[in-house]
Amino acid sequence: MADESGTRGGAGRLSGFFDRLDPDMCVVTAAAGGERAGCLVGFASQCSMEPLRFAVWLSKVNRTYRAARAAQFLAVHLLTRDQRELAELLGGETGDETDKFARLHWREGHGGSAVLTDTAAWFVGAVLHRIDGGDHVGFVLDPVEWGEGRDGPLLRLSDAAGIEAGHPVD
């Protein structure tokens, strides 16, 4: 359906809606086949209350997605606003050119997952479903391990403005 303010079509026509969203950002890490990858993610949300489920959406062009395709578990981390430098590393660099984990504090978590040790909160989730959503794939996760860390307001999309993605979408 369409009304006088818009029509079906490109996302540009929905900017009045999407430009108002300011979700919490998170970092997703994947470990599989002896390789680790991680990226900054803006598309993520709890998607079920009972059973508890969470979905993260990874761009098909980035290395984390390629690692996540083979992973049984993904780790999801919340950053605080004062962790912009960490967000820039994980969002603005590509693992195809940079060993991000050489510059991160992390430990092995459940199922061989890579858990960042200096974040506001984190969980490791078993991958239940993969859903093609266009240029991103959604990973529905069942939390199996979790923890909390540093205090402070969470990093939001508006706080990450200006971080140029390590891999452009197109």
Side-chain angles (χ1 to χ4, degrees), residues 94-120:
T94 173
D96 293 328
E97 300 170 2
T98 303
D99 179 3
K100 297 178 191 181
F101 283 82
R103 296 165 46 193
L104 296 173
H105 298 285
W106 67 279
R107 67 169 181 79
E108 189 172 304
H110 186 88
S113 61
V115 175
L116 305 182
T117 58
D118 186 28
T119 60

Side-chain angles (χ1 to χ4, degrees), residues 56-74:
V56 295
W57 294 84
L58 301 177
S59 171
K60 291 177 180 177
V61 300
N62 83 31
R63 185 167 184 262
T64 304
Y65 165 71
R66 293 192 304 271
R69 288 186 308 187
Q72 294 180 342
F73 299 92
L74 300 179

